[in-house]
Amino acid sequence: MKVIFAGTPEFAAIALKDLHEAGFEIPLVLTQPDRPAGRGMQLHASAVKQYAQQHGIEVLQPLSLRMDSKDAQRAAEAKAAHERLLATDYDVMVVAAYGLILPRSTLDIKPCINIHGSLLPRWRGAAPIHRAIEAGDDETGVTIMQMEEGLDTGPMLAIERVAIEAGDSTATLHDKLAALGGRMIVATLRQMQQQAVPAVPQPEAGLTYAAKIAKEEALLDFSLPALELGLKIRAFNPFPGACGQIDGVTVKIWAADVIDAGSDQPPGQILAADAQLGIVVACGSGSLRLTSLQKPGGKRLPAREFIKGFALEGKRFEAI
């Protein structure tokens, strides 16, 4: 079976690696254009492009696949990409976190199969891993689905569940689901080589949308319950990184424990900041013990180290 692969971040690169190592012929990879990143804002290739180039796989990086785009450059690149797809001998396109919309013109060439990091129809959309943790879900998983023009609306070919552990952040859960997605897509394609795989329509009940994460969401509102804030801190690790402001300084908060006991102090007030008690902050209900923090230009530090270089006693996280 010949597979065109479309994806961009590490989640997709793991699936590409698994397909390649499983022996599937991959004549072409689609990924997003190189983006500026880092302090120097130099152009960086996506994780998918890096893997493809390391293994001699042709890479195509159109700005868009929509030939009807009003932007002349995007329309021209989309037309060239469409012609390249038509000229390529392949059986199926596998898509994982590509980041570009596949128009009907692409979907009609050959079957397109998506690796989605949620238990569809829950958390259709751009940020299913973040939103599952933020919502306090007990489980999530990976769905392999046939693609159609709707947003993650296609029928399901395979689905597997994963428990969300109390210590999971988006970073740790991402790695679990990426590994699972790679195994599942290999198994699904191998099954397709032998026989037709039943496509099961998604249930109508339980539909939710996982909106793209905005950087503005990272600023914590300590008037919220500690339990809700703890979920946000886990959900926003590693991106965009939950934070609070003290004396005008933005402090990243990478990990925290929820404490049921509340306080008569206003939300955001730092109740303790020492090596024994740690950094404890009053919330709308309950409290948070902050365990990993980072100041601008600094490194992530455990609370006991952070307080050595940042005086916190008696201070308060600013209200938003």
Side-chain angles (χ1 to χ4, degrees):
M1 180 177 281
K2 297 179 181 179
V3 180
I4 286 182
F5 188 87
T8 299
E10 185 66 23
F11 183 91
I14 290 171
L16 174 60
K17 174 180 179 290
D18 286 353
L19 287 169
H20 183 252
E21 292 183 350
F24 290 97
E25 185 176 343
I26 305 172
L28 181 66
V29 158
L30 302 180
T31 192
Q32 288 209 41
D34 297 357
R35 304 292 189 193
R39 292 184 178 180
M41 296 301 287
Q42 296 181 340
L43 289 178
H44 284 259
S46 72
V48 163
K49 179 179 178 179
Q50 291 178 45
Y51 183 88
Q53 289 183 325
Q54 290 166 6
H55 295 85
I57 304 172
E58 181 183 352
V59 176
L60 198 62
Q61 296 178 271
L63 288 168
S64 172
L65 293 174
R66 301 190 67 91
M67 293 184 288
D68 60 352
S69 174
K70 295 181 180 180
D71 183 293
Q73 182 180 356
R74 289 176 179 269
E77 290 196 17
K79 183 178 180 181
H82 183 72
E83 292 174 351
R84 182 69 183 86
L85 292 175
L86 291 174
T88 301
D89 179 19
Y90 71 103
D91 302 296
V92 63
M93 178 183 288
V94 171
V95 182
Y98 181 26
L100 295 183
I101 295 174
L102 268 60
R104 172 55 58 188
S105 57
T106 300
L107 296 172
D108 283 345
I109 299 174
K110 292 288 175 69
C112 296
I113 298 176
N114 181 243
I115 307 169
H116 187 76
S118 82
L119 301 173
L120 290 172
R122 186 159 179 79
W123 303 125
R124 292 177 181 173
I129 302 175
H130 297 77
R131 299 305 182 188
I133 292 178
E134 184 185 20
D137 289 1
D138 293 326
E139 64 176 4
T140 184
V142 170
T143 305
I144 307 295
M145 54 168 278
Q146 289 182 355
M147 295 187 70
E148 52 186 34
E149 284 188 284
L151 178 63
D152 300 326
T153 58
M156 304 179 294
L157 302 175
I159 189 165
E160 291 193 28
R161 299 174 182 273
V162 171
I164 300 179
E165 305 293 343
D168 271 329
S169 64
T170 290
T172 61
L173 191 56
H174 165 279
D175 292 350
K176 296 176 186 179
L177 296 183
L180 176 59
R183 294 195 298 270
M184 288 177 66
I185 192 60
V186 168
T188 300
L189 294 189
R190 283 178 171 163
Q191 187 179 355
M192 290 173 63
Q193 289 178 303
Q194 303 298 322
Q195 59 188 11
V197 177
V200 180
Q202 294 183 33
E204 295 182 4
L207 169 62
T208 54
Y209 285 97
K212 184 177 179 181
I213 302 296
K215 289 185 178 180
E216 294 75 22
E217 295 182 70
L219 186 59
L220 297 179
D221 179 358
F222 284 93
S223 68
L224 295 174
L227 180 60
E228 185 175 341
L229 292 170
L231 292 171
K232 288 181 180 292
I233 291 167
R234 290 165 53 199
F236 297 158
N237 179 358
F239 176 85
C243 62
Q245 290 187 333
I246 300 178
D247 295 338
V249 178
T250 299
V251 176
K252 291 279 188 180
I253 302 169
W254 294 109
D257 298 325
V258 176
I259 303 173
D260 291 334
S263 166
D264 58 1
Q265 296 297 310
Q269 183 67 45
I270 296 175
L271 305 175
D274 58 52
Q276 289 187 334
L277 296 176
I279 301 171
V280 181
V281 185
C283 303
S285 62
S287 306
L288 281 179
R289 178 178 286 112
L290 311 185
T291 58
S292 178
L293 304 92
Q294 181 180 11
K295 62 183 179 181
K299 299 179 181 179
R300 295 191 193 188
L301 295 173
R304 65 179 181 277
E305 297 296 328
F306 184 84
I307 58 179
K308 293 179 181 179
F310 202 111
L312 293 174
E313 288 189 13
K315 294 189 177 181
R316 181 184 176 190
F317 282 99
E318 298 167 10
I320 65 171

